[in-house]
């Protein structure tokens, strides 16, 4: 398929992506300890915004199965998971995924993300999303990148709008989050949209002071 021609396997389907103070790359088994530690200490911060965690979610075996699923999804052009690392010390700070890739007449995917609690509100996710969007549009040839977040997730709303996403609608009981069907606000960014506006000084300060929860994945 077209993806194999762009990224011959067993090489990684996507090369590392450089951003402002961060870089993104495909998860690897060597990331397990850092991932488990970060997710564990961030459990209380993340669970209100994510689907229910399986009982064995943080085990090595579950992580290995996760990587197999990731590899399969990338080979079949269904999803592209990436971990976010702080460039200065290679510290894992979070992750994001382009999932539910639709081709044909659609050429779209859904963006989901999570940030470790110790690193929230420091601009890392905005840098990661900003770095990912050109790759999504120009390398993966997606015309449309969609995202959804709960109405009370004001930090993620600000994040998406600052990255050039447009609010498009409201979907009732859109996703089951932490065991409850929750309404979501729907956002999207088109390849043809203008470059994301720069945040004002006040918006920048507000973003730094807020702790950005994840958008639904």
């Amino acid at each position: 398929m077209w993806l194999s021609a762009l990224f011959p396997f067993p090489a990684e389907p996507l090369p590392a992506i450089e951003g402002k103070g961060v870089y993104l790359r495909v998860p690897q088994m060597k990331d397990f300890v850092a991932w488990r530690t970060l997710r564990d200490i961030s459990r209380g911060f993340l669970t209100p915004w994510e689907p229910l965690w399986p009982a064995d979610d943080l085990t090595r075996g579950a992580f290995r199965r996760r990587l197999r699923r990731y590899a399969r999804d990338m080979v079949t052009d269904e999803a592209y998971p990436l971990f976010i690392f702080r460039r200065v010390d290679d510290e894992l700070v979070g992750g994001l995924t382009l999932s539910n890739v639709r081709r044909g007449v659609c050429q779209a995917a859904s963006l989901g993300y999570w940030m470790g609690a110790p690193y929230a509100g420091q601009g890392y996710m905005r840098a990661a999303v900003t770095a990912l969007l050109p790759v999504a549009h120009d390398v993966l040839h997606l015309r449309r990148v969609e995202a959804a977040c709960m109405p009370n997730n004001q930090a993620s709303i600000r994040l998406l709008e600052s990255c050039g996403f447009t609010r498009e609608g409201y979907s009732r009981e859109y996703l089951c989050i932490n065991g409850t069907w929750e309404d979501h606000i729907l956002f999207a960014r088109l390849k043809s949209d203008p470059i994301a506006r720069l945040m004002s000084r006040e918006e920048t300060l507000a973003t730094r002071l807020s702790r950005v929860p994840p958008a639904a994945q």
Side-chain angles (χ1 to χ4, degrees):
M1 59 191 304
W2 70 271
L3 185 65
S4 298
L6 283 177
F7 305 107
F9 293 95
E12 291 182 352
L14 278 178
I17 301 169
E18 294 290 335
K20 184 177 180 181
V22 300
Y23 64 91
L24 292 67
R25 67 160 170 78
V26 174
Q28 301 172 12
M29 196 64 208
K30 67 180 181 180
D31 302 320
F32 168 66
V33 173
W35 174 86
R36 179 187 61 190
T37 301
L38 184 57
R39 295 283 292 183
D40 191 32
I41 64 176
S42 305
R43 183 186 292 265
F45 176 60
L46 295 174
T47 51
W49 313 100
E50 295 188 349
L52 287 173
W53 292 18
D56 66 343
D57 194 53
L58 299 184
T59 65
R60 185 178 295 272
F63 187 76
R64 185 176 290 108
R65 291 191 296 273
R66 183 186 294 266
L67 293 189
R68 291 197 196 104
R69 184 176 70 252
Y70 287 168
R72 182 174 63 250
D73 288 347
M74 287 185 288
V75 169
T76 56
D77 188 34
E78 295 179 35
Y80 295 90
L82 295 161
F83 280 174
I84 305 166
F85 296 88
R86 187 166 55 189
R87 188 186 301 168
V88 67
D89 57 3
D90 299 316
E91 191 78 13
L92 175 66
V93 299
L96 49 73
T97 302
L98 285 171
S99 63
N100 193 25
V101 176
R102 289 96 71 199
R103 295 297 180 183
V105 297
C106 193
Q107 301 299 330
S110 299
L111 172 67
Y113 50 82
W114 64 274
M115 178 59 61
Y119 310 108
Q122 300 178 43
Y124 296 129
M125 187 56 71
R126 186 175 190 272
V129 173
T130 300
L132 176 66
L133 286 172
V135 175
H137 292 312
D138 299 330
V139 177
L140 298 178
H141 307 294
L142 297 168
R143 283 195 67 254
R144 178 180 174 87
V145 177
E146 300 169 344
C149 63
M150 291 157 59
N152 61 339
N153 194 339
Q154 292 299 317
S156 281
I157 291 172
R158 288 194 298 269
L159 171 70
L160 292 169
E161 290 178 340
S162 74
C163 290
F165 283 75
T166 297
R167 190 181 307 209
E168 293 189 338
Y170 190 95
S171 189
R172 296 176 301 154
E173 298 188 2
Y174 182 65
L175 293 172
C176 188
I177 300 298
N178 199 27
T180 302
W181 288 98
E182 299 282 359
D183 298 352
H184 281 68
I185 301 173
L186 307 180
F187 290 84
R189 190 187 190 284
L190 304 182
K191 183 177 181 179
S192 57
D193 283 343
I195 296 174
R197 62 181 173 82
L198 293 176
M199 290 190 296
S200 69
R201 183 176 179 182
E202 292 77 13
E203 288 174 310
T204 302
L205 178 61
T207 300
R208 287 176 178 172
L209 292 176
S210 65
R211 294 165 63 82
V212 181
Q217 303 194 57

